[in-house]
Amino acid sequence: MIFRRSCVISFIACVCLAALSCASTGKTQTVQQSDSLNSTIQNDSRITLVFAGDIMAHQINYTAGNFAEIWRDIKPIVKNSDLAFANLEAPVNDKMEWSTYPQFNMHSEYVHAAIEAGFNVFSLANNHTNDWYLDGIRATRQFFNSTKDVWACGIKEKNGSPLTYRLIQKNDWKILFAAVTEILNRPDFASYIDYYPQKKHGKLVEELKALAKNNPHDLFVLSVHTDEEEYKTTVTESHKKFFKTLASECGIDIIWANHPHVSKKFEKIDLEDGRQTFIMYANGNTISGQRTKPSFNKQPDERDLTGDGLLFKIVCSKSRKFDSIDSYFITTLIKSNGQYVIRLVDDDLIHSLDRAGVDHWKKYLVERRKLFDSLKEKSKWQ
């Protein structure tokens, strides 16, 4: 609201100045003032981005139906953004049966529910991308190519094609987006995927530098599906070093990593050239069926961590800095009918569970939120 008022005041002031200039010096001065106004508006431009984690479809997720219900609680946050990013952890092939772990396949209506909730940018490069070989890769690519106003990255049209990318035009912004994976569960058709194992990090750095140079942009976002141990919250030193190299040498503004199915810390770093980079080391699961038996009456184990995730809302300016970064703690709540849905873990949810007498979930989520508070304290982003 403050920004909008300031824009109105600036506009009125500029109009008044332009009128005075016309009276004294004619049209040339008016044009210069108009150019100045346009420059001011462009420099003050903002874009809002939302980043989720992994979208998975275990059997418990896709047999429940009513997929819109999954997203109901976080839809207002996602919809109130210009671009919303999620990692799709499965091929999308309607000609095949649904399938769950270890070889996933989801149907288009599951993805459409996420799109209807507001997600419009997807990373497709992860360890499950080639679960169903070339048929799965091609079907996934065809689905996203035929879906309007949605962008996806990470798989190639042809064997051995260069690194794929999207230059997303949104309002007066150009967002450069690429998605890579360091890990595949199987080697089949790896040449159709933006696959860069750690031994090819040097090649990736050079390709990203060329991509940034050849595609003028306002913001560069990179998705990295990391090769690391699942269900562990520790950030590896090798990834810390690599991501900071990507930020400083390749001009990446936002590094969005995933794979372990649990949430990790995040940090905002200031670079020598005056830019900032925000690094999400893992946002955990946004929706999955991995937490099948929450530990209500015993010490939580690593499977409990898979039921929680992070959601970020980032407001960016064209100065290549961040106006604001808001983090949200989300959880997979199991409804009385057995459906798995996403819920914001906030005071409203805790109070509603208390009023409904659902003490086991209330106590459980109070403890889960303490972990989120601890994660924020360990992260460098204020």
Side-chain angles (χ1 to χ4, degrees):
M1 183 62 71
I2 294 172
F3 166 69
R4 291 176 181 172
R5 288 174 179 169
S6 64
C7 283
V8 172
I9 292 169
S10 298
F11 178 77
I12 293 170
C14 289
V15 170
C16 293
L17 287 171
L20 291 173
S21 299
C22 284
S24 58
T25 60
K27 292 182 180 180
T28 301
Q29 186 67 28
T30 304
V31 171
Q32 291 174 347
Q33 186 63 52
S34 177
D35 289 343
S36 175
L37 172 61
N38 290 336
S39 176
T40 300
I41 292 173
Q42 185 179 30
N43 290 339
D44 285 346
S45 178
R46 302 290 186 272
I47 192 167
T48 300
L49 311 178
V50 163
F51 289 87
D54 302 325
I55 295 179
M56 306 191 73
H58 291 86
Q59 186 173 4
I60 193 67
N61 303 119
Y62 60 74
T63 55
N66 190 19
F67 300 142
E69 175 63 18
I70 294 172
W71 305 99
R72 179 177 59 82
D73 202 39
I74 66 169
K75 184 175 180 178
I77 297 172
V78 180
K79 276 284 191 183
N80 191 30
S81 66
D82 296 296
L83 297 173
F85 296 72
N87 173 53
L88 197 66
E89 194 107 358
V92 184
N93 191 347
D94 289 340
K95 294 181 179 179
M96 288 184 55
E97 295 293 326
W98 292 85
S99 60
T100 187
Y101 180 83
Q103 287 179 274
F104 289 96
N105 182 61
M106 61 178 65
H107 284 186
S108 57
E109 60 262 35
Y110 195 79
V111 187
H112 276 303
I115 293 171
E116 175 58 30
F119 288 101
N120 52 9
V121 188
F122 293 87
S123 168
L124 306 178
N126 53 68
N127 56 305
H128 289 287
T129 302
N130 60 341
D131 273 5
W132 290 104
Y133 320 107
L134 191 55
D135 283 347
I137 293 171
R138 285 176 170 166
T140 305
R141 193 174 188 279
Q142 183 179 5
F143 168 78
F144 281 102
N145 283 346
S146 63
T147 305
K148 187 178 179 181
D149 296 327
V150 171
W151 299 267
C153 215
I155 55 179
K156 304 175 181 182
E157 181 180 7
K158 297 179 181 179
N159 175 17
S161 296
L163 172 67
T164 66
Y165 67 93
R166 295 291 180 269
L167 191 59
I168 303 170
Q169 182 78 45
K170 193 69 176 179
N171 305 327
D172 63 335
W173 282 73
K174 288 184 179 179
I175 309 296
L176 184 59
F177 174 57
V180 301
T181 182
E182 298 178 333
I183 182 173
L184 291 172
N185 288 351
R186 57 197 317 144
D188 310 81
F189 305 102
S191 58
Y192 284 83
I193 303 166
D194 287 319
Y195 172 50
Y196 291 83
Q198 293 184 12
K199 63 182 180 181
K200 293 186 177 181
H201 276 180
K203 179 183 178 183
L204 177 60
V205 167
E206 293 307 312
E207 291 190 20
L208 290 172
K209 287 164 67 174
L211 194 64
K213 180 180 179 181
N214 296 329
N215 295 275
H217 56 277
D218 299 301
L219 202 71
F220 195 169
V221 178
L222 178 68
S223 168
V224 183
H225 207 76
T226 51
D227 184 3
E228 58 185 325
E229 191 175 0
E230 293 183 329
Y231 316 125
K232 303 300 181 185
T233 60
T234 303
V235 177
T236 66
E237 290 300 320
S238 61
H239 278 117
K240 285 183 184 179
K241 182 178 179 181
F242 178 50
F243 289 169
K244 288 175 181 178
T245 297
L246 292 175
S248 59
E249 295 189 17
C250 305
I252 312 295
D253 299 287
I254 296 176
I255 298 173
W256 169 49
N258 285 294
H259 174 62
H261 302 299
V262 297
S263 302
K264 295 193 179 188
K265 73 174 187 177
F266 38 94
E267 63 176 328
K268 181 175 67 177
I269 59 175
D270 295 310
L271 301 170
E272 292 183 359
D273 60 5
R275 293 185 301 110
Q276 293 179 329
T277 292
F278 187 61
I279 303 174
M280 294 164 276
Y281 287 99
N283 287 359
N285 287 332
T286 298
I287 186 63
S288 78
Q290 288 189 290
R291 185 174 65 188
T292 55
K293 296 179 180 179
S295 303
F296 292 129
N297 300 312
K298 63 181 189 302
Q299 186 71 22
D301 59 20
E302 64 182 17
R303 284 288 170 171
D304 286 270
L305 295 174
T306 66
D308 300 330
L310 297 175
L311 198 67
F312 289 94
K313 183 175 73 173
I314 305 174
V315 179
C316 308
S317 69
K318 288 196 174 181
S319 64
R320 306 293 283 271
K321 292 186 178 181
F322 306 107
D323 281 19
S324 63
I325 301 173
D326 295 319
S327 60
Y328 302 87
F329 182 40
I330 59 175
T331 197
T332 301
L333 188 69
I334 306 173
K335 297 175 63 178
S336 58
N337 64 0
Q339 185 178 17
Y340 283 44
V341 297
I342 305 165
R343 290 289 183 265
L344 285 169
V345 184
D346 55 14
D347 289 340
D348 287 344
L349 176 61
I350 300 299
H351 293 158
S352 67
L353 292 172
D354 189 30
R355 290 192 300 270
V358 189
D359 290 339
H360 57 301
W361 269 109
K362 185 199 77 171
K363 293 177 182 178
Y364 181 76
L365 293 179
V366 166
E367 293 302 314
R368 305 305 300 161
R369 190 159 63 167
K370 290 179 182 178
L371 293 177
F372 172 60
D373 292 337
S374 173
L375 185 65
K376 286 200 298 183
E377 290 173 4
K378 294 176 183 178
S379 299
K380 301 176 183 177
W381 66 301
Q382 299 296 341

